[in-house]
Amino acid sequence: MTDHDVRVLDDSQFRTAHTLFRGTLHNAPAPDEQWKVVQESYEPGRALGAFADGKMIGTVQSFPSRMAVPGGAVVQHGAVSRVGVRADWTRRGVLSALQRAQLRAMRSAGDVVASLRASETMIYGRYGYGVASRFRYLDIDRRRAAPRSRPVGRVRLVEGEAGERIARELFDELTLRRAGTISRWPSWWTLNVRRAAVEQNLKIAVRSSSVPSGPSGDDGYVVFKVEPGENDPRQGKQTRLSVLDLWAGNAEAWADLWLFVLGVDLVGEVSAEGRPVDEPVQWLLGDPRACRVPDEFDETWLRLLDVPTALTARTYREGEPVVLGVRDVYLPENSGSYRVTADGVTRVEDEPELVVDVDVLASAYLGDVSFSTLAATRRLDVVEPDALARADTLFAVAEVPWCGSYF
Ligand SMILES: CC(C)(COP(=O)(O)OP(=O)(O)OC[C@H]1O[C@@H](n2cnc3c(N)ncnc32)[C@H](O)[C@@H]1OP(=O)(O)O)[C@@H](O)C(=O)NCCC(=O)NCCS
């Protein structure tokens, strides 16, 4: 018997939930103007609250989305966010109760996977979330960079709503190609681009090829902002251009967009965060050391909600089969043995050759980490040592997974 219960929130409770969540991040409640924008992002049925003595003490939420998996298939995805428990109720099992209810609700709603960004790394493994993709930060000393070439297409600044509209259309066309990328929900754009465009003076530049390809000819965009520094470089604070969102449909467009931001005058440093770990920006530069990678970070924390459907959705490389045993405490119907072959996956009664908790399977699922690495770091049980190489071969991917959408 617990001293709290979990319920699906209705419209009248969204603001309380949002205020509660902001409080757990040590932020003040959203003012009325901000709330008008934020409330649209609460999806009916997807926000939960924990209650004690008639008061809300914790909340979780998810956005409806889709995710690309290796091989190109796209599965229904819940993007989990706004997780918080009031400071006077922490470490009493409130998040665990919310997680139990949320995992079950997302699975019942047909979400095959869920993902989130973790404020702290010790929280979510127990609920079956594993790190499945990484991103990196870049800092480029623009005055040293000496780009090796000039844009070959046209990059133009597009102001106001037109810029956002083109960016949204291009994003929808360009995402879901790489494993780990997701679709964005309408309020993502409102909160991250439209609102920030005013508050932070965001700029949007759109690239088109000199030989138009698609219907519009546009094949990439970059959202960025410039924070002015001191005119006198001895003051230390440089003018910084931050790349916030950059998507390109081909290698030429990608290079042109980076060359464009590197070419903006009166900027000392070009920085970016949330970029894929395999993005070769340094190769564009005359001085590759001008591009530093100050940090690499866990990006997608992935939860396989429906293991058989998720395993079946992705493709596998040619190789000998392997039998995986999966343990899932929160969604026990996922527990069992799965025979993975180059042609697909079947549920079997066979003894497993490798046994993984569902969070560890999530880490291997998009291909970012191999079963051998997971075994070497004692994250899985090896029953049949030969099986490691077979699993590595089957799950290997050509392109490192990346999401590229923060939520
Ligand atoms: C993170 C948070 C939601 C956890 O809520 P909670 O109700 O205290 O979690 P629970 O009591 O259900 O904890 C379950 C288990 O996770 C552990 N745990 C929870 N939060 C943890 C943390 N931040 N670091 C380490 N362990 C944590 C608990 O110790 C407990 O372990 P046990 O089962 O071995 O006893 C809450 O601390 C919070 O709101 N933090 C600030 C906001 C935040 O970071 N939100 C997450 C945004 S991604």
Side-chain angles (χ1 to χ4, degrees):
M1 185 69 189
T2 59
D3 47 5
H4 52 267
D5 63 309
V6 172
R7 294 176 226 154
V8 177
L9 299 180
D10 63 40
D11 302 17
S12 68
Q13 295 165 312
F14 292 163
R15 191 161 190 180
T16 306
H18 193 250
T19 300
L20 190 160
F21 165 65
R22 285 181 62 88
T24 67
L25 298 183
H26 313 300
N27 290 324
D32 287 348
E33 275 307 296
Q34 195 176 324
W35 173 246
K36 269 190 214 152
V37 181
V38 171
Q39 67 178 344
E40 286 168 27
S41 65
Y42 276 84
E43 285 277 333
R46 281 194 171 262
L48 303 179
F51 292 83
D53 305 326
K55 286 213 157 54
M56 201 184 298
I57 55 169
T59 185
V60 293
Q61 200 211 322
S62 68
F63 302 104
S65 168
R66 290 172 298 142
M67 178 182 279
V69 303
V74 172
V75 298
Q76 195 173 309
H77 159 240
V80 172
S81 187
R82 296 180 181 151
V83 176
V85 171
R86 238 171 54 181
D88 54 347
W89 273 88
T90 51
R91 308 306 179 266
R92 293 165 70 168
V94 177
L95 177 62
S96 300
L98 284 162
Q99 282 288 329
R100 188 168 286 112
Q102 189 185 39
L103 291 171
R104 181 59 62 200
M106 289 190 294
R107 193 185 145 112
S108 302
D111 293 341
V112 176
V113 299
S115 76
L116 52 76
R117 305 286 175 268
S119 62
E120 292 181 287
T121 50
M122 301 303 285
I123 304 172
Y124 294 103
R126 75 193 72 234
Y127 307 120
Y129 287 87
V131 177
S133 76
R134 295 160 290 140
F135 72 74
R136 64 184 198 175
Y137 294 83
L138 299 177
D139 283 339
I140 304 165
D141 181 343
R142 182 183 161 267
R143 297 202 168 88
R144 249 180 88 177
R148 286 180 176 277
S149 59
R150 294 181 53 77
V152 294
R154 170 92 183 108
V155 180
R156 64 190 197 283
L157 287 165
V158 185
E159 308 217 326
E161 285 185 15
E164 184 198 322
R165 183 179 45 75
I166 297 174
R168 283 174 75 151
E169 284 169 11
L170 280 169
F171 175 83
D172 288 346
E173 186 185 318
L174 300 174
T175 191
L176 302 179
R177 294 184 183 180
R178 183 195 281 242
T181 52
I182 61 173
S183 64
R184 292 172 179 169
W185 42 99
S187 61
W188 188 97
W189 290 93
T190 317
L191 295 178
N192 292 283
V193 177
R194 192 171 313 160
R195 193 178 63 173
V198 180
E199 289 170 5
Q200 300 174 37
N201 194 22
L202 297 193
K203 305 278 180 217
I204 298 179
V206 178
R207 193 265 185 191
S208 48
S209 142
S210 46
V211 187
S213 47
S216 67
D218 296 334
D219 54 8
Y221 72 90
V222 55
V223 180
F224 65 96
K225 67 176 179 184
V226 179
E227 295 158 285
E230 308 287 344
N231 281 332
D232 179 352
R234 289 169 303 175
Q235 300 288 331
K237 186 171 177 250
Q238 305 214 54
T239 294
R240 173 196 286 246
L241 185 156
S242 304
V243 171
L244 304 173
D245 199 29
L246 186 155
W247 292 79
N250 55 66
E252 271 194 354
W254 170 82
D256 275 6
L257 289 164
W258 274 106
L259 292 168
F260 171 77
V261 292
L262 289 165
V264 175
D265 283 333
L266 305 181
V267 168
E269 185 171 65
V270 172
S271 70
E273 62 177 71
R275 301 306 304 165
V277 292
D278 60 352
E279 186 172 40
V281 178
Q282 69 279 14
W283 286 92
L284 288 170
L285 310 179
D287 181 352
R289 283 189 198 160
C291 178
R292 291 184 308 108
V293 180
D295 212 346
E296 186 183 290
F297 220 67
D298 48 274
E299 186 193 43
T300 301
W301 283 72
L302 183 68
R303 191 7 158 143
L304 305 181
L305 296 167
D306 179 341
V307 169
T309 304
L311 285 177
T312 304
R314 64 153 288 178
T315 57
Y316 300 90
R317 290 258 174 109
E318 282 302 320
E320 294 299 311
V322 67
V323 179
L324 296 180
V326 178
R327 291 184 292 237
D328 189 342
V329 176
Y330 277 77
L331 295 171
E333 61 270 43
N334 286 324
S335 298
S337 290
Y338 297 86
R339 182 177 158 84
V340 182
T341 75
D343 299 325
V345 178
T346 35
R347 207 164 181 153
V348 290
E349 296 298 322
D350 305 7
E351 285 302 311
E353 297 172 295
L354 304 172
V355 182
V356 284
D357 287 321
V358 74
D359 60 317
V360 177
L361 181 62
S363 292
Y365 178 74
L366 297 177
D368 195 43
V369 62
S370 70
F371 283 84
S372 294
T373 299
L374 292 166
T377 49
R378 303 184 185 171
R379 299 297 305 277
L380 58 83
D381 296 339
V382 180
V383 181
E384 174 54 67
D386 293 352
L388 281 175
R390 281 183 271 131
D392 286 353
T393 303
L394 288 164
F395 279 78
V397 293
E399 189 175 38
V400 63
W402 174 65
C403 178
S405 296
Y406 187 85
F407 56 90

